[in-house]
């Protein structure tokens, strides 16, 4: 049978009030703290966070809404978020929205019913209306990777527009003018990256055919079908930028199946330097997001809101993204 607070009382001789005060984060005398901690270790006592939450109004649990748990980018971010939360004494409860806005709404209600102290959100929805319930319940929310078009919430992201601008300039610096883009015209990240693409071409005075823009929703299928379409053009591009990790995977497979050579026949620059860069040859050029730093900042922002250390208007933190060099771009 699991040890109880009364077992700690019997072991230490201290009052239930003193033991409860310690367990709920209050200050007790050093000698009493030592007795309680020794008893907890000897009895293998485990704190019931839900029960403690009824007293402190804190469960030490953070909810995490993700748009697709199968996404490798999401998996890596969860790893770093888990580390940062653990270092601060928090656990996390993950809900997969399966790229479905209706499931996302239900997941939010589930997390609220579990009395989470705050919520980290990788959103499916393009607007923040569904998060109004959390806002009304005074549950802090921090967005990751994607902002909304309308509602303002605390947000941690990369400067997607600037990152794409730099990626296009890298290809231009290697002599490319026939540059294509496979990117989402649905998600916030894709729309911002498309703006950066257009900025760079306009700045360089380059005009491309409309067929060089392949849009849809970030996915393996978009990368695969989009790259196939580009490679079948009579005047195919000399270089292609693939707008996120899943799209990059699909694009690489399409090139491999075509029998064409990268970078001899087609140069490629992808997004998100994850596992693929370590196993694919030639080694790909990538826009690389500082995922560990983004996760750490998101946790810091959220816990500052939870504790009341940060109040006021929503904050928006944009990290710069690096470009990881590889062998997939040919100099013309």
């Amino acid at each position: 049978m699991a040890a109880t607070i009364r077992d700690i009382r019997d072991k230490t001789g201290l009052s239930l009030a003193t033991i409860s005060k310690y367990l709920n984060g209050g200050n007790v005398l050093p000698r009493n703290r030592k007795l309680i901690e020794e008893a907890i270790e000897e009895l293998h006592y485990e704190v019931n966070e839900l029960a403690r939450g009824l007293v402190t109004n804190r469960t030490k649990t953070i909810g995490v809404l993700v748009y697709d748990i199968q996404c490798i980018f999401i998996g890596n971010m969860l790893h770093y978020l888990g580390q940062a939360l653990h270092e601060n004494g928090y656990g996390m409860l993950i809900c997969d929205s399966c790229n479905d806005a209706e499931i996302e709404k239900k997941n939010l209600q589930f997390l609220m019913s579990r009395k989470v102290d705050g919520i980290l959100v990788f959103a499916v929805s393009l607007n923040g209306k569904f998060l109004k319930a959390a806002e009304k319940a005074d549950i802090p929310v921090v967005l990751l990777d994607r902002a909304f078009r309308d509602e303002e919430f605390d947000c941690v992201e990369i400067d997607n527009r600037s990152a794409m601008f730099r990626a296009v300039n890298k290809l231009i610096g290697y002599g490319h003018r026939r540059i294509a883009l496979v990117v989402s015209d649905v998600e916030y990240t894709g729309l911002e990256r498309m703006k950066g693409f257009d900025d760079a071409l306009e700045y360089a005075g380059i005009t491309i055919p409309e067929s060089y823009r392949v849009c849809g929703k970030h996915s393996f299928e978009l990368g695969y079908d989009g790259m196939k379409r580009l490679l079948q053009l009579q005047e195919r591009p000399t270089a292609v930028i693939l707008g996120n990790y899943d799209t990059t995977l699909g694009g690489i497979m399409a090139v491999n199946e075509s029998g064409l050579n990268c970078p001899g026949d087609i140069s490629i620059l992808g997004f998100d330097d994850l596992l693929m860069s370590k196993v694919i040859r030639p080694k790909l050029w990538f826009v690389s997001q500082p995922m560990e730093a983004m996760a750490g900042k998101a946790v810091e922002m959220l816990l500052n809101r939870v504790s009341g250390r940060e109040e006021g208007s929503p904050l928006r933190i944009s990290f710069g993204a690096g470009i990881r060099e590889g062998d997939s771009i040919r100099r013309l």
Side-chain angles (χ1 to χ4, degrees):
M1 183 180 294
T4 68
I5 189 172
R6 288 178 174 79
D7 295 322
I8 297 176
R9 178 198 60 188
D10 296 341
K11 188 76 176 174
T12 62
L14 299 173
S15 69
L16 288 175
T18 298
I19 298 167
S20 179
K21 185 178 181 181
Y22 168 85
L23 292 175
N24 290 312
N27 291 320
V28 299
L29 293 173
R31 65 174 180 274
N32 291 342
R33 181 185 302 110
K34 186 172 186 296
L35 286 170
I36 295 168
E37 289 175 350
E38 288 175 349
I40 286 173
E41 183 174 355
E42 184 176 338
L43 296 168
H44 304 292
Y45 175 80
E46 294 185 4
V47 177
N48 185 329
E49 293 291 357
L50 289 176
R52 182 164 71 175
L54 295 174
V55 177
T56 64
N57 204 29
R58 290 281 179 267
T59 62
K60 302 294 281 185
T61 305
I62 297 299
V64 188
L65 284 175
V66 302
Y67 51 78
D68 183 0
I69 205 165
Q70 292 186 28
C71 174
I72 294 179
F73 170 76
I74 290 293
N76 277 262
M77 288 298 292
L78 288 173
H79 169 73
Y80 293 124
L81 289 171
Q83 284 184 329
L85 288 168
H86 176 72
E87 288 169 3
N88 286 276
Y90 280 78
M92 64 180 178
L93 184 57
I94 304 164
C95 287
D96 183 6
S97 299
C98 304
N99 280 311
D100 187 315
E102 288 303 314
I103 295 176
E104 185 173 59
K105 291 178 187 176
K106 292 176 182 176
N107 284 341
L108 175 68
Q109 293 301 320
F110 173 80
L111 291 176
M112 292 176 62
S113 74
R114 293 304 184 271
K115 306 297 183 185
V116 296
D117 296 338
I119 303 175
L120 296 162
V121 180
F122 296 86
V124 176
S125 302
L126 300 178
N127 63 71
K129 188 180 297 184
F130 79 101
L131 287 173
K132 285 296 185 180
E135 192 174 52
K136 188 175 180 180
D138 291 324
I139 300 174
V141 171
V142 173
L143 306 179
L144 272 153
D145 185 47
R146 302 175 177 181
F148 292 132
R149 297 174 181 175
D150 55 353
E151 307 292 344
E152 287 293 325
F153 289 88
D154 289 336
C155 180
V156 176
E157 61 180 354
I158 65 164
D159 186 339
N160 288 283
R161 192 167 183 168
S162 174
M164 181 61 81
F165 186 94
R166 292 179 59 220
V168 176
N169 275 345
K170 182 62 65 174
L171 291 172
I172 293 172
Y174 272 59
H176 292 271
R177 296 295 181 271
R178 302 206 311 268
I179 303 170
L181 175 67
V182 182
V183 73
S184 172
D185 60 354
V186 179
E187 291 107 338
Y188 168 83
T189 51
L191 292 168
E192 288 296 301
R193 289 168 190 178
M194 196 184 302
K195 290 175 185 176
F197 182 80
D198 291 337
D199 290 344
L201 294 183
E202 182 179 356
Y203 185 80
I206 295 173
T207 302
I208 60 170
E210 196 56 38
S211 58
Y212 281 16
R213 301 171 191 271
V214 180
C215 300
K217 187 176 176 64
H218 277 153
S219 63
F220 176 90
E221 291 75 19
L222 176 64
Y224 181 80
D225 295 337
M227 181 64 82
K228 280 204 160 188
R229 193 186 315 169
L230 291 169
L231 295 180
Q232 290 167 2
L233 292 173
Q234 187 170 359
E235 186 177 42
R236 66 171 178 255
T238 60
V240 180
I241 298 178
L242 296 156
N244 85 332
Y245 185 78
D246 295 323
T247 305
T248 302
L249 279 176
I252 292 298
M253 181 168 284
V255 171
N256 290 342
E257 289 182 1
S258 73
L260 295 175
N261 175 266
C262 172
D265 298 308
I266 189 82
S267 292
I268 294 176
L269 195 153
F271 258 80
D272 299 330
D273 181 18
L274 299 169
L275 178 64
M276 181 166 47
S277 65
K278 299 172 177 62
V279 298
I280 286 180
R281 293 295 178 268
K283 184 179 179 182
L284 292 179
W285 281 78
F286 270 104
V287 174
S288 179
Q289 301 192 55
M291 289 182 284
E292 185 172 4
M294 291 168 66
K297 176 55 71 173
V299 167
E300 177 188 326
M301 289 171 67
L302 187 64
L303 297 187
N304 281 343
R305 294 292 192 187
V306 167
S307 67
R309 291 192 297 268
E310 184 71 56
E311 297 179 347
S313 300
L315 303 173
R316 191 159 181 171
I317 306 295
S318 291
F319 282 82
I323 295 183
R324 192 70 58 86
E325 295 189 7
D327 304 311
S328 62
I329 299 176
R330 179 168 68 100
R331 190 177 294 277
L332 298 182

